[in-house]
Amino acid sequence: MRIHEYQARQLLADAGIAVPPGAMVQNIDDAVAQAKAILNGGAPMVVVKAQVHAGGRGKAGFVKVVRTAEEVREAAAFMLSHRMISPQTPPEGLEVKRLLVAAGVEIAKEYYLAVAVDRARRTATLIASAEGGVEIEAVAERNPAAILKEPLHPLAGLQPYQARKLAYALGFSGRQVGQAADIMQRLTRVFHNTDASLVEINPLVVTPPTEAHPDGQVLAIDAKFSFDDNALFRQKRIAEMFDPTEENPAELRANAAGLSYVALDGNIGCLVNGAGLAMSTMDIIKLHGGEPANFLDVGGSASEEAVTEAFRIILADTAVKGVLVNIFGGIMQCDRIARAISSAAKEVGFQVPLVVRLEGTNVDAARAILEEARKEIPSMQSASDLTDAAKRVCAAVA
Ligand code: GDP
Ligand code: MN
């Protein structure tokens, strides 16, 4: 699960990491009011930032640093009326419904700091770079040596010496070393305590020296968090941050029915039982030149109603030009799938070719049910095995 930047900043602030103050707003007037409060409070600048579950906002023009309330009005009006398109969004972009209006800061230097799971090392890892900011992806590609990593001990976490070593390696000096090391310690603790899969501060900034802060201040001015869905049951506060409006509607609907569904870009709708079988079904579709429209695992214990809902979701996708049902009935009974096909045919209708491959528990009963339903599904073909099924559905959509 992902959350918005304004929520992530709150988690950072609660963990004792310095974050400039700000508030989430949903309309232009509130953005202006918030900006006036920030400017009256003595901040030299205001930053207006689109709150969507995608990065690359700065380059897309959806992070604006301005100095007057009037400019905040313009920035807010633009962002709330344009879709944001970046390399991290779908091609059609994302609608912006929320903005963060925060105090802007002067920046002397930008750093990158994150904790992520390093699967090769099988542990969480602190990742840092002195070349933070909007070019971090390019840095990682062109100059991987500029990305520093410290693995975290699974029980002891980040050791103080590791944090200091990283802080020096990043080029911090004077009082900044202690501040940066402290932020690293706190960030690894937030990662652990919230069952996160990624916590990222990009950029972490140092402000120019002032009278009040002769060594500058180390501040987090952007934050991105993702969490392990399997831990949400014990992370009530995090779970409450869920914003359903940022999710794919078909995926939400499938979730509610207890189905594992991931929307994809192709045109062959897939209904399969078991994640492994679903993956191999997608592979074999690709092998025969087709493109899956989704990953869908109905699992072993899905009810007839849940499977019917799965067909409703697949058939509601206008990109779907053919459907492949691939069931290897172990715990799942084939006749339950057959009955769901029959109800979906009556209720929604299969306007597109349907290829069915069924094997396993109650397969004879299932075949009888499908035979009975054949009149309602003239586009249905039975396949003898998985290869035959993939060939048939790919030919049907070609
Ligand atoms: P992202 O592009 O989606 O990662 O959005 P960020 O919040 O990281 O902002 C992008 C860039 O805008 C940052 O790398 C900064 O260079 C700049 N920026 C963001 N907030 C401020 C601010 O308060 N002051 C200044 N001077 N620049 C900022
Ligand atoms: Mn950023």
Side-chain angles (χ1 to χ4, degrees):
M1 184 189 118
R2 290 180 296 177
I3 58 174
H4 288 292
E5 176 196 358
Y6 75 90
Q7 297 165 317
R9 284 165 78 115
Q10 187 61 53
L11 294 175
L12 291 181
D14 292 351
I17 294 174
V19 179
M24 190 275 287
V25 298
Q26 293 176 283
N27 62 61
I28 300 169
D29 289 340
D30 288 351
V32 172
Q34 176 63 23
K36 284 181 177 158
I38 289 170
L39 292 168
N40 288 339
M45 298 174 274
V46 179
V47 53
V48 184
K49 316 177 79 174
Q51 300 294 287
V52 287
H53 286 183
R57 298 166 302 169
K59 285 186 164 179
F62 283 75
V63 171
K64 290 259 165 65
V65 184
V66 296
R67 292 188 182 267
T68 66
E70 204 34 55
E71 290 170 296
V72 168
R73 177 180 296 282
E74 272 169 41
F78 171 82
M79 291 182 200
L80 290 171
S81 62
H82 289 81
R83 298 177 76 87
M84 186 189 102
I85 301 176
S86 87
Q88 297 183 28
T89 66
E92 72 277 14
L94 295 173
E95 184 188 350
V96 180
K97 295 174 284 260
R98 297 160 190 250
L99 303 173
L100 169 67
V101 179
V105 297
E106 304 277 2
I107 300 176
K109 183 162 172 54
E110 302 193 2
Y111 298 83
Y112 177 92
L113 191 62
V115 183
V117 178
D118 183 337
R119 289 171 199 279
R121 282 183 189 262
R122 300 179 196 159
T123 188
T125 299
L126 185 62
I127 305 169
S129 177
E131 298 185 34
V134 296
E135 297 292 344
I136 191 69
E137 283 88 1
V139 172
E141 216 160 275
R142 265 191 281 109
N143 185 14
I147 313 279
L148 310 177
K149 293 183 183 174
E150 278 293 324
L152 307 189
H153 188 282
L155 297 176
L158 183 72
Q159 298 300 295
Y161 82 87
Q162 290 180 297
R164 280 195 304 274
K165 187 173 82 178
L166 260 189
Y168 282 115
L170 291 171
F172 286 106
S173 61
R175 294 191 50 204
Q176 294 166 6
V177 176
Q179 287 180 52
D182 180 62
I183 290 176
M184 292 176 197
Q185 291 285 1
R186 291 176 191 273
L187 189 66
T188 56
R189 260 180 255 137
V190 184
F191 175 87
H192 186 252
N193 292 343
T194 59
D195 288 310
S197 51
L198 171 74
V199 296
E200 182 187 87
I201 301 176
N202 184 35
L204 178 75
V205 304
V206 175
T207 60
T210 59
E211 227 165 276
H213 302 280
D215 284 338
Q217 274 181 294
V218 186
L219 300 171
I221 68 166
D222 186 18
K224 178 172 155 185
F225 279 49
S226 318
F227 304 93
D228 182 345
D229 292 345
N230 293 317
L232 290 175
F233 75 95
R234 64 180 192 189
Q235 294 288 351
K236 204 159 179 297
R237 174 159 182 232
I238 303 295
E240 281 168 1
M241 292 180 169
F242 181 63
D243 178 0
T245 66
E246 290 287 314
E247 305 296 322
N248 177 308
E251 292 182 3
L252 278 181
R253 214 175 135 182
N255 242 332
L259 307 161
S260 305
Y261 173 94
V262 180
L264 299 168
D265 295 333
N267 59 4
I268 299 176
C270 305
L271 185 136
V272 189
N273 69 314
L277 188 61
M279 303 262 223
S280 28
T281 303
M282 290 161 51
D283 280 351
I284 203 160
I285 286 174
K286 289 207 140 207
L287 183 68
H288 292 284
E291 290 290 336
N294 64 276
F295 166 97
L296 173 55
D297 168 16
V298 297
S301 53
S303 65
E304 185 186 322
E305 169 50 28
V307 180
T308 310
E309 175 73 350
F311 280 114
R312 288 188 201 111
I313 294 167
I314 292 175
L315 294 170
D317 180 352
T318 52
V320 167
K321 300 291 177 246
V323 176
L324 173 56
V325 174
N326 183 26
I327 300 296
F328 194 85
I331 300 169
M332 174 52 79
Q333 295 160 0
C334 290
D335 56 323
R336 191 178 293 164
I337 301 288
R339 270 193 293 273
I341 292 177
S342 164
S343 344
K346 288 197 187 96
E347 194 190 303
V348 203
F350 283 86
Q351 315 298 346
V352 295
L354 167 67
V355 176
V356 181
R357 182 258 178 161
L358 295 172
E359 268 327 323
T361 310
N362 297 356
V363 70
D364 293 335
R367 296 213 168 107
I369 292 165
L370 289 182
E371 211 35 63
E372 193 116 321
R374 190 168 281 285
K375 303 177 288 303
E376 282 138 18
I377 326 170
S379 71
M380 180 169 64
Q381 306 177 37
S382 305
S384 53
D385 58 32
L386 184 45
T387 297
D388 181 41
K391 283 184 180 162
R392 282 174 186 269
V393 76
C394 289
V397 302

